[in-house]
Amino acid sequence: MPYLRAWRSYGGFEGRASLRTWLYRIATNACLTALEHRARRPLPVALGAPGTDPEGDLSAIPPEITWLQPFPDALLTSGLSGSSGAVGASGPVGADPASVVAARSGLRLALVAALQYLPPRQRAVLILRDVLGWRAAEAASLLDVTATAVNSLLKRARARMAEVAPDAEQVAEPTAGRQRAVLDRWARAFVEADIDTLMELLTEDAIWEMPPQPMWFQGADTLRPLLAFRIGKHGRHRRLVPITANGQPAFAVYSNHRDGRLSAESLQVLTMRGDRIAKVTAFRTPSLVGVAGLPMEIDVGDEA
């Protein structure tokens, strides 16, 4: 939509600002207009207290909630592969600042979730100033406000982010070696319904949530019966294919199909804390597996 709006408006471009700034203004205004008419996208942990009955009915899905969804890293990679510059250790060489920051830092679920707490204009200012590195005057010109207003919006956005974002050490990517082994053990134990190993890999205060179901659970005393009840019935009919989403380790989960093929079931995003798993967000929306660039069905004999 922003591209179409820019094409239609190009005849009125007077060159008083750079083409880059003009395009950013169109895109930003289009996003702000969309956000003003869109409800906040939460995750279950933002809606209430954790559940206490792991064997309760989790089939009810509130139709009025638009849930936060993960961003598969495959989409970011495909977007960067089309850039004119090469991708280096710190990002695409010669790419714009947004691509550099995205490639260097990744897209953490914690950051994406935290942004949902910000009003649209605070969100825009935070991205312009702290992600794209724009000066206050540039952001003010784009948003048609004063530099003082931009600084005020940025201050409030940073304060809110500090309240809702976790500590940096709570969101860590797996590294080669020990953490990779943790993820391999997790996938194997999940498929084999090995509850003891799964609990060993989870932290004592680990969180398990399953959007679009609103219930979420926390702590070993609750997660053990939850896993035993939910996974114990179906574990041996599943396969986990490792991917990354939001810059975090993730798995596409396939379940048994009546014709012998495995069909996409959900997308798990894991939050690591050291060499253990502190949070599992199991997005029970099969289409997200396709969004990640994986097939919706695989043969039983296919290697994961």
Side-chain angles (χ1 to χ4, degrees), residues 110-246:
L111 175 59
V112 176
L115 284 174
Q116 309 308 309
Y117 291 90
L118 300 179
R121 285 193 173 271
Q122 287 186 28
R123 197 182 311 181
V125 168
L126 183 75
I127 293 173
L128 290 170
R129 297 280 281 117
D130 285 357
V131 177
L132 299 181
W134 283 36
R135 296 189 298 272
E138 291 178 310
S141 175
L142 185 146
L143 296 171
D144 291 325
V145 298
T146 66
T148 300
V150 165
N151 290 332
S152 177
L153 288 166
L154 180 61
K155 182 178 180 180
R156 294 201 298 273
R158 287 173 174 171
R160 183 58 174 151
M161 290 286 285
E163 292 176 1
V164 299
D167 294 334
E169 62 268 18
Q170 292 183 354
V171 184
E173 297 180 30
T175 56
R178 188 171 64 179
Q179 287 189 333
R180 183 68 257 171
V182 169
L183 299 175
D184 290 341
R185 289 184 65 200
W186 174 267
R188 185 167 54 253
F190 193 88
V191 170
E192 296 176 355
D194 183 351
I195 306 303
D196 289 337
T197 297
L198 292 174
M199 294 306 302
E200 178 185 338
L201 297 173
L202 290 166
T203 62
E204 287 296 319
D205 61 346
I207 291 173
W208 193 290
E209 55 184 350
M210 299 168 284
Q213 281 82 12
M215 294 292 290
W216 62 283
F217 303 89
Q218 183 172 27
D221 291 343
T222 303
L223 293 190
R224 178 177 284 276
L226 174 72
L227 294 176
F229 181 70
R230 300 294 168 185
I231 300 176
K233 296 191 302 181
H234 307 290
R236 291 179 179 83
H237 301 291
R238 294 178 176 176
R239 178 174 297 159
L240 271 65
V241 177
I243 61 170
T244 54
N246 307 316

Side-chain angles (χ1 to χ4, degrees), residues 1 15 19 24 63 77 99 101 122 143 176 198 220 246 248 257 283 295:
M1 185 63 69
L19 182 62
Y24 267 112
T77 302
S99 297
V101 172
Q122 287 186 28
L143 296 171
L198 292 174
N246 307 316
Q248 296 174 248
H257 197 274
F283 294 91

